[in-house]
Amino acid sequence: MDWMLEGLLQGTQFQKLYNRRIEDLRREYNLRKVDIDILYFLYKSGEHNTSKDIGDLNLFNKGHISQSIGRMEEQQLIYAVRDQADRRCMHIMLTDKAMKVVEEITVLRKQMYNIILKGVTQEERDILLTVSRKVNDNIREALEHKV
């Protein structure tokens, strides 16, 4: 396989750029990368805002999620609300303080997409999206079936 495609699929170059871009934000708010990723996920997730939902992304282990949630509760960025139907389930909500951070994360992410998609036509973007969905479906299927 072409090494550039392999690097893209593994996300190593993207992660380097992303980590460099969020460094100032991390320092300013005393956050770790996992915290930033979880805040953004919670912002985008709608009703899928439990620790289990975060874990279903398969990006972080339960320990990292639990530690991150604890840190962000102490910083008053998030709070938990008990589910009305299932009292064992806790929904994680963003505070107004967190929304300021999320706004900055959103700006950074838009800048990142502008950088990495510079010179890519709309037709190419559509093809990339279609291929990405297929690759993600293949990965998800392989994980579910332990292929």
Side-chain angles (χ1 to χ4, degrees):
M1 179 175 290
D2 181 87
W3 67 269
M4 289 179 72
L5 177 58
E6 193 162 319
L8 182 62
L9 289 173
Q10 292 177 8
T12 52
Q13 292 294 87
F14 180 83
Q15 285 302 317
K16 273 186 189 177
L17 181 60
Y18 180 66
N19 290 338
R20 188 177 301 157
R21 292 284 171 161
I22 65 170
E23 188 58 35
D24 290 340
L25 190 66
R26 288 182 59 233
R27 271 193 246 119
E28 180 180 350
Y29 293 102
N30 192 29
L31 296 170
R32 296 184 181 166
K33 181 184 177 297
V34 64
D35 303 335
I36 290 172
D37 292 342
I38 289 174
L39 285 174
Y40 191 72
F41 170 79
L42 291 171
Y43 171 68
K44 299 295 266 181
S45 67
E47 294 179 13
H48 303 284
N49 57 359
T50 66
S51 291
K52 182 186 180 318
D53 294 323
I54 297 167
D56 288 346
L57 293 174
N58 293 316
L59 298 177
F60 319 108
N61 65 41
K62 288 180 183 181
H64 285 129
I65 294 168
S66 178
Q67 289 174 357
S68 177
I69 288 171
R71 271 192 310 274
M72 291 192 293
E73 281 179 321
E74 287 177 13
Q75 292 175 293
Q76 299 177 339
L77 294 171
I78 60 172
Y79 61 97
V81 174
R82 192 169 304 279
D83 188 280
Q84 295 300 316
D86 182 353
R87 306 290 290 162
R88 299 168 297 170
C89 181
M90 299 294 283
H91 293 277
I92 305 164
M93 311 299 287
L94 298 173
T95 65
D96 289 341
K97 183 178 176 182
M99 289 308 295
K100 182 177 186 288
V101 180
V102 168
E103 287 172 11
E104 292 186 48
I105 295 168
T106 302
V107 168
L108 282 172
R109 291 179 73 91
K110 284 180 183 176
Q111 290 172 349
M112 289 271 307
Y113 291 131
N114 288 337
I115 290 168
I116 66 175
L117 294 174
K118 183 175 72 177
V120 179
T121 67
Q122 187 59 51
E123 180 183 0
E124 292 168 330
R125 289 175 189 217
D126 293 342
I127 292 168
L128 178 61
L129 183 60
T130 299
V131 172
S132 297
R133 286 182 177 146
K134 288 179 182 181
V135 169
N136 278 324
D137 289 345
N138 292 341
I139 292 169
R140 187 176 10 262
E141 183 179 317
L143 287 171
E144 289 171 0
H145 294 99
K146 314 252 190 303
V147 174

